[in-house]
mmCIF file of all heavy atoms in Angstrom:
data_model
loop_
_atom_site.group_PDB
_atom_site.id
_atom_site.type_symbol
_atom_site.label_atom_id
_atom_site.label_comp_id
_atom_site.label_asym_id
_atom_site.label_seq_id
_atom_site.Cartn_x
_atom_site.Cartn_y
_atom_site.Cartn_z
ATOM 1 N N VAL M 453 0.839 -1.202 0.000
ATOM 2 C CA VAL M 453 -0.001 -0.003 -0.001
ATOM 3 C C VAL M 453 0.878 1.255 0.001
ATOM 4 O O VAL M 453 0.600 2.211 -0.740
ATOM 5 C CB VAL M 453 -0.981 0.006 1.194
ATOM 6 C CG1 VAL M 453 -1.692 1.344 1.327
ATOM 7 C CG2 VAL M 453 -1.996 -1.121 1.047
ATOM 8 N N GLY M 454 1.942 1.258 0.773
ATOM 9 C CA GLY M 454 2.856 2.396 0.792
ATOM 10 C C GLY M 454 3.527 2.604 -0.560
ATOM 11 O O GLY M 454 3.669 3.743 -1.036
ATOM 12 N N SER M 455 3.935 1.509 -1.192
ATOM 13 C CA SER M 455 4.536 1.589 -2.525
ATOM 14 C C SER M 455 3.534 2.124 -3.535
ATOM 15 O O SER M 455 3.883 2.925 -4.413
ATOM 16 C CB SER M 455 5.029 0.209 -2.974
ATOM 17 O OG SER M 455 6.044 -0.252 -2.135
ATOM 18 N N SER M 456 2.291 1.703 -3.404
ATOM 19 C CA SER M 456 1.246 2.180 -4.308
ATOM 20 C C SER M 456 0.971 3.663 -4.097
ATOM 21 O O SER M 456 0.786 4.400 -5.069
ATOM 22 C CB SER M 456 -0.037 1.371 -4.117
ATOM 23 O OG SER M 456 0.191 0.033 -4.508
ATOM 24 N N ALA M 457 0.951 4.093 -2.856
ATOM 25 C CA ALA M 457 0.748 5.516 -2.570
ATOM 26 C C ALA M 457 1.913 6.334 -3.141
ATOM 27 O O ALA M 457 1.701 7.402 -3.736
ATOM 28 C CB ALA M 457 0.615 5.744 -1.067
ATOM 29 N N ALA M 458 3.136 5.836 -2.986
ATOM 30 C CA ALA M 458 4.303 6.519 -3.542
ATOM 31 C C ALA M 458 4.217 6.569 -5.066
ATOM 32 O O ALA M 458 4.542 7.588 -5.683
ATOM 33 C CB ALA M 458 5.585 5.816 -3.101
ATOM 34 N N SER M 459 3.748 5.494 -5.667
ATOM 35 C CA SER M 459 3.588 5.450 -7.123
ATOM 36 C C SER M 459 2.571 6.489 -7.595
ATOM 37 O O SER M 459 2.787 7.171 -8.598
ATOM 38 C CB SER M 459 3.147 4.043 -7.554
ATOM 39 O OG SER M 459 2.864 4.008 -8.926
ATOM 40 N N VAL M 460 1.482 6.613 -6.864
ATOM 41 C CA VAL M 460 0.459 7.601 -7.216
ATOM 42 C C VAL M 460 1.016 9.020 -7.076
ATOM 43 O O VAL M 460 0.838 9.857 -7.968
ATOM 44 C CB VAL M 460 -0.814 7.427 -6.348
ATOM 45 C CG1 VAL M 460 -1.754 8.610 -6.489
ATOM 46 C CG2 VAL M 460 -1.524 6.131 -6.718
ATOM 47 N N LEU M 461 1.724 9.284 -5.990
ATOM 48 C CA LEU M 461 2.297 10.625 -5.788
ATOM 49 C C LEU M 461 3.310 10.953 -6.882
ATOM 50 O O LEU M 461 3.330 12.071 -7.405
ATOM 51 C CB LEU M 461 2.937 10.730 -4.405
ATOM 52 C CG LEU M 461 1.970 10.726 -3.228
ATOM 53 C CD1 LEU M 461 2.735 10.680 -1.907
ATOM 54 C CD2 LEU M 461 1.064 11.946 -3.285
ATOM 55 N N TYR M 462 4.142 9.978 -7.250
ATOM 56 C CA TYR M 462 5.125 10.223 -8.300
ATOM 57 C C TYR M 462 4.439 10.384 -9.658
ATOM 58 O O TYR M 462 4.870 11.195 -10.479
ATOM 59 C CB TYR M 462 6.178 9.111 -8.342
ATOM 60 C CG TYR M 462 7.410 9.536 -9.085
ATOM 61 C CD1 TYR M 462 8.207 10.568 -8.593
ATOM 62 C CD2 TYR M 462 7.771 8.943 -10.278
ATOM 63 C CE1 TYR M 462 9.328 10.995 -9.286
ATOM 64 C CE2 TYR M 462 8.894 9.358 -10.971
ATOM 65 C CZ TYR M 462 9.677 10.379 -10.473
ATOM 66 O OH TYR M 462 10.779 10.805 -11.156
ATOM 67 N N SER M 463 3.362 9.650 -9.877
ATOM 68 C CA SER M 463 2.592 9.800 -11.112
ATOM 69 C C SER M 463 1.986 11.198 -11.202
ATOM 70 O O SER M 463 1.958 11.796 -12.286
ATOM 71 C CB SER M 463 1.484 8.751 -11.183
ATOM 72 O OG SER M 463 2.033 7.461 -11.333
ATOM 73 N N ILE M 464 1.510 11.721 -10.081
ATOM 74 C CA ILE M 464 0.964 13.087 -10.057
ATOM 75 C C ILE M 464 2.066 14.082 -10.407
ATOM 76 O O ILE M 464 1.856 15.003 -11.206
ATOM 77 C CB ILE M 464 0.326 13.405 -8.683
ATOM 78 C CG1 ILE M 464 -0.942 12.581 -8.495
ATOM 79 C CG2 ILE M 464 0.045 14.894 -8.543
ATOM 80 C CD1 ILE M 464 -1.497 12.602 -7.073
ATOM 81 N N TYR M 465 3.241 13.885 -9.829
ATOM 82 C CA TYR M 465 4.378 14.752 -10.135
ATOM 83 C C TYR M 465 4.707 14.710 -11.629
ATOM 84 O O TYR M 465 4.862 15.754 -12.274
ATOM 85 C CB TYR M 465 5.596 14.338 -9.302
ATOM 86 C CG TYR M 465 6.892 14.905 -9.814
ATOM 87 C CD1 TYR M 465 7.208 16.256 -9.650
ATOM 88 C CD2 TYR M 465 7.811 14.086 -10.479
ATOM 89 C CE1 TYR M 465 8.396 16.776 -10.136
ATOM 90 C CE2 TYR M 465 8.996 14.604 -10.968
ATOM 91 C CZ TYR M 465 9.287 15.947 -10.789
ATOM 92 O OH TYR M 465 10.464 16.454 -11.287
ATOM 93 N N LEU M 466 4.810 13.499 -12.191
ATOM 94 C CA LEU M 466 5.166 13.367 -13.610
ATOM 95 C C LEU M 466 4.074 13.920 -14.526
ATOM 96 O O LEU M 466 4.370 14.473 -15.586
ATOM 97 C CB LEU M 466 5.483 11.916 -13.952
ATOM 98 C CG LEU M 466 6.791 11.382 -13.358
ATOM 99 C CD1 LEU M 466 6.948 9.897 -13.664
ATOM 100 C CD2 LEU M 466 7.986 12.169 -13.855
ATOM 101 N N THR M 467 2.829 13.800 -14.131
ATOM 102 C CA THR M 467 1.741 14.390 -14.904
ATOM 103 C C THR M 467 1.852 15.917 -14.872
ATOM 104 O O THR M 467 1.633 16.580 -15.886
ATOM 105 C CB THR M 467 0.372 13.916 -14.369
ATOM 106 O OG1 THR M 467 0.319 12.486 -14.441
ATOM 107 C CG2 THR M 467 -0.775 14.511 -15.166
ATOM 108 N N GLY M 468 2.208 16.443 -13.720
ATOM 109 C CA GLY M 468 2.448 17.880 -13.615
ATOM 110 C C GLY M 468 3.603 18.339 -14.496
ATOM 111 O O GLY M 468 3.546 19.404 -15.121
ATOM 112 N N VAL M 469 4.648 17.532 -14.574
ATOM 113 C CA VAL M 469 5.779 17.842 -15.448
ATOM 114 C C VAL M 469 5.309 17.894 -16.900
ATOM 115 O O VAL M 469 5.676 18.810 -17.649
ATOM 116 C CB VAL M 469 6.922 16.813 -15.275
ATOM 117 C CG1 VAL M 469 7.944 16.925 -16.399
ATOM 118 C CG2 VAL M 469 7.600 16.994 -13.917
ATOM 119 N N GLN M 470 4.489 16.934 -17.287
ATOM 120 C CA GLN M 470 3.963 16.936 -18.657
ATOM 121 C C GLN M 470 3.145 18.201 -18.923
ATOM 122 O O GLN M 470 3.301 18.835 -19.967
ATOM 123 C CB GLN M 470 3.072 15.716 -18.899
ATOM 124 C CG GLN M 470 3.812 14.410 -18.992
ATOM 125 C CD GLN M 470 2.879 13.260 -19.246
ATOM 126 O OE1 GLN M 470 2.386 13.099 -20.355
ATOM 127 N NE2 GLN M 470 2.614 12.480 -18.200
ATOM 128 N N ALA M 471 2.301 18.551 -17.978
ATOM 129 C CA ALA M 471 1.387 19.673 -18.180
ATOM 130 C C ALA M 471 2.080 21.036 -18.119
ATOM 131 O O ALA M 471 1.819 21.905 -18.956
ATOM 132 C CB ALA M 471 0.264 19.625 -17.145
ATOM 133 N N PHE M 472 2.952 21.223 -17.131
ATOM 134 C CA PHE M 472 3.467 22.562 -16.867
ATOM 135 C C PHE M 472 4.914 22.803 -17.297
ATOM 136 O O PHE M 472 5.287 23.947 -17.533
ATOM 137 C CB PHE M 472 3.315 22.890 -15.377
ATOM 138 C CG PHE M 472 1.904 22.776 -14.902
ATOM 139 C CD1 PHE M 472 1.529 21.790 -14.008
ATOM 140 C CD2 PHE M 472 0.921 23.640 -15.374
ATOM 141 C CE1 PHE M 472 0.210 21.675 -13.569
ATOM 142 C CE2 PHE M 472 -0.390 23.537 -14.952
ATOM 143 C CZ PHE M 472 -0.751 22.548 -14.054
ATOM 144 N N VAL M 473 5.707 21.752 -17.389
ATOM 145 C CA VAL M 473 7.112 21.933 -17.764
ATOM 146 C C VAL M 473 7.316 21.607 -19.242
ATOM 147 O O VAL M 473 7.771 22.442 -20.015
ATOM 148 C CB VAL M 473 8.045 21.064 -16.883
ATOM 149 C CG1 VAL M 473 9.494 21.203 -17.315
ATOM 150 C CG2 VAL M 473 7.888 21.427 -15.409
ATOM 151 N N LEU M 474 6.980 20.375 -19.621
ATOM 152 C CA LEU M 474 7.185 19.952 -21.007
ATOM 153 C C LEU M 474 6.099 20.480 -21.939
ATOM 154 O O LEU M 474 6.337 20.664 -23.128
ATOM 155 C CB LEU M 474 7.242 18.420 -21.086
ATOM 156 C CG LEU M 474 8.368 17.743 -20.305
ATOM 157 C CD1 LEU M 474 8.208 16.234 -20.352
ATOM 158 C CD2 LEU M 474 9.731 18.164 -20.825
ATOM 159 N N LYS M 475 4.904 20.655 -21.377
ATOM 160 C CA LYS M 475 3.736 21.066 -22.171
ATOM 161 C C LYS M 475 3.508 20.105 -23.340
ATOM 162 O O LYS M 475 3.117 20.495 -24.435
ATOM 163 C CB LYS M 475 3.870 22.501 -22.658
ATOM 164 C CG LYS M 475 3.880 23.503 -21.521
ATOM 165 C CD LYS M 475 3.948 24.915 -22.036
ATOM 166 C CE LYS M 475 3.836 25.969 -21.023
ATOM 167 N NZ LYS M 475 4.498 25.984 -19.821
ATOM 168 N N LYS M 476 3.771 18.835 -23.069
ATOM 169 C CA LYS M 476 3.563 17.745 -24.020
ATOM 170 C C LYS M 476 2.996 16.570 -23.243
ATOM 171 O O LYS M 476 3.200 16.454 -22.039
ATOM 172 C CB LYS M 476 4.878 17.347 -24.686
ATOM 173 C CG LYS M 476 5.450 18.461 -25.515
ATOM 174 C CD LYS M 476 6.726 18.063 -26.165
ATOM 175 C CE LYS M 476 7.213 19.300 -26.904
ATOM 176 N NZ LYS M 476 8.256 19.092 -27.791
ATOM 177 N N TRP M 477 2.286 15.716 -23.956
ATOM 178 C CA TRP M 477 1.608 14.613 -23.298
ATOM 179 C C TRP M 477 2.042 13.278 -23.872
ATOM 180 O O TRP M 477 2.367 13.176 -25.044
ATOM 181 C CB TRP M 477 0.091 14.760 -23.437
ATOM 182 C CG TRP M 477 -0.414 15.940 -22.688
ATOM 183 C CD1 TRP M 477 -0.683 17.175 -23.198
ATOM 184 C CD2 TRP M 477 -0.670 16.021 -21.288
ATOM 185 N NE1 TRP M 477 -1.105 18.026 -22.203
ATOM 186 C CE2 TRP M 477 -1.096 17.337 -21.013
ATOM 187 C CE3 TRP M 477 -0.576 15.124 -20.242
ATOM 188 C CZ2 TRP M 477 -1.436 17.759 -19.740
ATOM 189 C CZ3 TRP M 477 -0.915 15.548 -18.971
ATOM 190 C CH2 TRP M 477 -1.344 16.848 -18.726
ATOM 191 N N CYS M 478 2.008 12.272 -23.023
ATOM 192 C CA CYS M 478 2.268 10.895 -23.426
ATOM 193 C C CYS M 478 1.061 10.069 -23.006
ATOM 194 O O CYS M 478 0.768 9.953 -21.811
ATOM 195 C CB CYS M 478 3.531 10.374 -22.761
ATOM 196 S SG CYS M 478 3.791 8.605 -22.986
ATOM 197 N N ASP M 479 0.369 9.513 -23.985
ATOM 198 C CA ASP M 479 -0.827 8.711 -23.699
ATOM 199 C C ASP M 479 -0.511 7.554 -22.761
ATOM 200 O O ASP M 479 -1.269 7.257 -21.839
ATOM 201 C CB ASP M 479 -1.412 8.139 -24.996
ATOM 202 C CG ASP M 479 -1.821 9.205 -25.979
ATOM 203 O OD1 ASP M 479 -1.962 10.374 -25.581
ATOM 204 O OD2 ASP M 479 -2.011 8.868 -27.165
ATOM 205 N N TYR M 480 0.610 6.898 -23.001
ATOM 206 C CA TYR M 480 0.970 5.725 -22.204
ATOM 207 C C TYR M 480 1.282 6.115 -20.762
ATOM 208 O O TYR M 480 0.969 5.362 -19.832
ATOM 209 C CB TYR M 480 2.159 5.006 -22.842
ATOM 210 C CG TYR M 480 1.852 4.544 -24.239
ATOM 211 C CD1 TYR M 480 2.292 5.268 -25.341
ATOM 212 C CD2 TYR M 480 1.084 3.405 -24.452
ATOM 213 C CE1 TYR M 480 1.991 4.856 -26.630
ATOM 214 C CE2 TYR M 480 0.778 2.991 -25.739
ATOM 215 C CZ TYR M 480 1.227 3.715 -26.819
ATOM 216 O OH TYR M 480 0.925 3.312 -28.095
ATOM 217 N N CYS M 481 1.903 7.273 -20.589
ATOM 218 C CA CYS M 481 2.205 7.745 -19.237
ATOM 219 C C CYS M 481 0.911 8.017 -18.467
ATOM 220 O O CYS M 481 0.813 7.707 -17.278
ATOM 221 C CB CYS M 481 3.049 9.008 -19.304
ATOM 222 S SG CYS M 481 4.608 8.789 -20.181
ATOM 223 N N ILE M 482 -0.060 8.569 -19.157
ATOM 224 C CA ILE M 482 -1.356 8.838 -18.526
ATOM 225 C C ILE M 482 -2.056 7.531 -18.166
ATOM 226 O O ILE M 482 -2.621 7.392 -17.077
ATOM 227 C CB ILE M 482 -2.249 9.714 -19.440
ATOM 228 C CG1 ILE M 482 -1.578 11.064 -19.722
ATOM 229 C CG2 ILE M 482 -3.638 9.883 -18.863
ATOM 230 C CD1 ILE M 482 -1.259 11.887 -18.496
ATOM 231 N N VAL M 483 -1.990 6.546 -19.062
ATOM 232 C CA VAL M 483 -2.582 5.233 -18.768
ATOM 233 C C VAL M 483 -1.907 4.622 -17.552
ATOM 234 O O VAL M 483 -2.572 4.077 -16.663
ATOM 235 C CB VAL M 483 -2.491 4.289 -19.993
ATOM 236 C CG1 VAL M 483 -2.823 2.852 -19.609
ATOM 237 C CG2 VAL M 483 -3.396 4.766 -21.108
ATOM 238 N N SER M 484 -0.583 4.730 -17.485
ATOM 239 C CA SER M 484 0.138 4.193 -16.327
ATOM 240 C C SER M 484 -0.261 4.919 -15.045
ATOM 241 O O SER M 484 -0.436 4.282 -13.997
ATOM 242 C CB SER M 484 1.647 4.304 -16.551
ATOM 243 O OG SER M 484 2.345 3.742 -15.467
ATOM 244 N N SER M 485 -0.421 6.226 -15.113
ATOM 245 C CA SER M 485 -0.834 6.995 -13.935
ATOM 246 C C SER M 485 -2.225 6.589 -13.457
ATOM 247 O O SER M 485 -2.444 6.384 -12.261
ATOM 248 C CB SER M 485 -0.829 8.499 -14.249
ATOM 249 O OG SER M 485 0.468 8.947 -14.503
ATOM 250 N N ILE M 486 -3.136 6.449 -14.389
ATOM 251 C CA ILE M 486 -4.502 6.022 -14.037
ATOM 252 C C ILE M 486 -4.482 4.615 -13.458
ATOM 253 O O ILE M 486 -5.153 4.329 -12.458
ATOM 254 C CB ILE M 486 -5.435 6.130 -15.265
ATOM 255 C CG1 ILE M 486 -5.642 7.601 -15.633
ATOM 256 C CG2 ILE M 486 -6.768 5.430 -14.999
ATOM 257 C CD1 ILE M 486 -6.309 7.821 -16.976
ATOM 258 N N THR M 487 -3.688 3.752 -14.051
ATOM 259 C CA THR M 487 -3.573 2.374 -13.559
ATOM 260 C C THR M 487 -3.027 2.366 -12.139
ATOM 261 O O THR M 487 -3.516 1.621 -11.274
ATOM 262 C CB THR M 487 -2.663 1.548 -14.492
ATOM 263 O OG1 THR M 487 -3.191 1.590 -15.814
ATOM 264 C CG2 THR M 487 -2.568 0.102 -14.027
ATOM 265 N N SER M 488 -2.052 3.210 -11.872
ATOM 266 C CA SER M 488 -1.467 3.300 -10.539
ATOM 267 C C SER M 488 -2.507 3.737 -9.509
ATOM 268 O O SER M 488 -2.580 3.177 -8.406
ATOM 269 C CB SER M 488 -0.289 4.283 -10.571
ATOM 270 O OG SER M 488 0.344 4.355 -9.346
ATOM 271 N N VAL M 489 -3.320 4.702 -9.870
ATOM 272 C CA VAL M 489 -4.384 5.163 -8.976
ATOM 273 C C VAL M 489 -5.385 4.049 -8.723
ATOM 274 O O VAL M 489 -5.800 3.797 -7.589
ATOM 275 C CB VAL M 489 -5.091 6.417 -9.545
ATOM 276 C CG1 VAL M 489 -6.359 6.746 -8.771
ATOM 277 C CG2 VAL M 489 -4.149 7.606 -9.542
#
């Protein structure tokens, strides 16, 4: 459960990087983030 929570938090961070830093999206990364949640 702790590993899963860490995975979700890191997925949120990486999604933020896509949105605000790179301003580009990866469909697979989003699928992985949703799967992690």
Side-chain angles (χ1 to χ4, degrees):
V453 171
S455 297
S456 294
S459 174
V460 168
L461 290 174
Y462 198 65
S463 292
I464 291 168
Y465 164 73
L466 290 175
T467 301
V469 166
Q470 288 181 75
F472 303 113
V473 177
L474 299 174
K475 295 183 175 45
K476 296 180 183 192
W477 293 98
C478 171
D479 300 343
Y480 300 100
C481 301
I482 300 302
V483 168
S484 182
S485 295
I486 292 168
T487 303
S488 183
V489 169

